[in-house]
Amino acid sequence: MKSSAPIGIFDSGVGGLTVMRKLIQTMPEENVVYFGDTARVPYGNKSKETVLRYTHQIIRFLETKQVKAIVIACNTASAYALHEVEKEFSIPILGVIQPGAEAAVKNSRNQRIGVIGTYATIGSKAYESSIKNINPHIEVFNKACPLFVPFVEEGMLEDILTDGIIARYLQELRNAHIDTLMLGCTHYPLLRTSIEKYMGNGVVCVDPSEETSLKVQKILQINHLLNSQNQHPKYEFYVSDSAQKMVEFANMIMPFQIEDVQTIQIESF
Ligand code: DGL
């Protein structure tokens, strides 16, 4: 494996760009291949079997791009599929749950942590088990917030309607006196300002992509695969449906403009 090989990253759709954004901020010299499963999003209300099958197909696709490591940016796919696929494939595969849990535990002083995510992520209790594995005394308060995803995709990051839905979902976590809130879904970091405003000063929001990026960097370093001399990193974008949505969303949140997005038949992998 060459250090110039790209890092593969995938999500159920466009939201994983929040993780890619953090990844390239941490490692600006790395080449990256992103896949967004825009034809089959959302994963958050699908079964474990389905998400596992999709994850297998995507990993097989990314392998054709000779990636040196894979990041599962999607919290739902991390929760449902990481444990299976990390044993099956020889390249390093990382999810966002364990790094996110470590960051949350490190932050919490009062040992009361809130976790928000899709129905699937919350139902899997993946964050809760990872947090309790690190420190069994921590109390975890879970809440599925399924409507946050469409609000973000509509670009309603700071909006009176968004504030209303935030209050509706998060009131019970605010009343639970948590001091740390895990943003356990790719889209939620984009609502961070609005969520922080509602939760107040005593609550720190944790974006799992920060710790995940550091972990990827460490694994590449250990394996002598860091691409440290690359002045012109290459980013490739693939989706399973029309490219338009990806282009629009990427140009809303990424630090550069994206034009070239290719549509592939993910079912054939
Ligand atoms: N990417 C998903 C996640 O982080 C959110 C969108 C979906 O439900 O697919 O869980």
Side-chain angles (χ1 to χ4, degrees):
M1 183 65 72
K2 287 202 216 130
S3 60
S4 60
I7 298 172
I9 173 165
F10 74 89
D11 180 43
S12 54
V14 294
L17 290 173
T18 60
V19 183
M20 176 173 172
R21 191 172 67 166
K22 191 56 73 181
L23 198 74
I24 60 179
Q25 195 182 322
T26 309
M27 291 173 284
E29 288 150 331
E30 294 294 339
N31 300 316
V32 178
V33 176
Y34 182 97
F35 174 75
D37 200 357
T38 49
R40 303 188 292 194
V41 69
Y43 284 9
N45 52 17
K46 294 201 168 64
S47 70
K48 180 170 176 170
E49 291 65 36
T50 299
V51 172
L52 193 55
R53 183 163 57 83
Y54 292 172
T55 302
H56 275 119
Q57 290 172 343
I58 297 167
I59 293 175
R60 286 196 287 267
F61 162 68
L62 289 173
E63 280 191 320
T64 68
K65 299 287 158 196
Q66 270 89 39
V67 294
K68 60 185 173 185
I70 291 178
V71 181
I72 306 183
C74 180
N75 288 255
T76 303
S78 297
Y80 273 167
L82 178 69
H83 286 311
E84 321 265 341
V85 294
E86 68 183 352
K87 287 181 255 156
E88 291 168 34
F89 294 87
S90 56
I91 49 168
I93 303 178
L94 288 96
V96 289
I97 307 274
Q98 181 63 25
E102 287 169 19
V105 170
K106 229 182 283 170
N107 179 75
S108 182
R109 295 284 158 265
N110 73 359
Q111 308 207 330
R112 297 170 76 81
I113 298 178
V115 177
I116 54 176
T118 62
Y119 281 125
T121 301
I122 295 305
S124 74
K125 298 225 156 116
Y127 273 113
E128 180 164 351
S129 338
S130 299
I131 289 169
K132 284 187 179 288
N133 268 344
I134 305 169
N135 181 346
H137 302 295
I138 289 181
E139 256 194 280
V140 179
F141 301 85
N142 295 295
K143 181 76 187 172
C145 304
L147 287 174
F148 284 177
V149 168
F151 272 74
V152 169
E153 296 203 357
E154 283 302 312
M156 294 165 68
L157 307 184
E158 290 176 56
D159 188 283
I160 189 163
L161 291 176
T162 312
D163 289 342
I165 199 76
I166 286 174
R168 173 73 72 91
Y169 280 143
L170 300 188
Q171 188 182 17
E172 62 195 81
L173 296 187
R174 193 165 75 170
N175 293 344
H177 304 294
I178 56 168
D179 71 350
T180 305
L181 179 61
M182 168 63 59
L183 304 177
C185 173
T186 45
H187 293 61
Y188 300 178
L190 296 168
L191 294 177
R192 189 176 194 141
T193 308
S194 303
I195 291 174
E196 281 177 345
K197 193 171 75 187
Y198 178 74
M199 294 303 287
N201 284 338
V203 177
V204 172
C205 289
V206 171
D207 174 356
S209 71
E210 293 169 17
E211 196 71 21
T212 304
S213 300
L214 293 174
K215 218 156 221 174
V216 176
Q217 188 178 38
K218 199 181 266 175
I219 285 175
L220 293 178
Q221 194 172 17
I222 291 168
N223 290 295
H224 308 289
L225 284 174
L226 273 180
N227 197 9
S228 42
Q229 304 298 323
N230 185 14
Q231 299 300 313
H232 303 288
K234 230 176 101 195
Y235 304 134
E236 288 175 40
F237 297 90
Y238 297 88
V239 287
S240 49
D241 199 356
S242 133
Q244 192 51 31
K245 174 127 199 228
M246 173 65 105
V247 171
E248 281 165 18
F249 195 79
N251 290 338
M252 176 169 91
I253 72 156
M254 297 302 271
F256 47 79
Q257 292 290 301
I258 292 172
E259 277 145 35
D260 189 25
V261 176
Q262 292 179 50
T263 302
I264 57 152
Q265 291 295 329
I266 195 65
E267 303 274 3
S268 65
F269 288 90

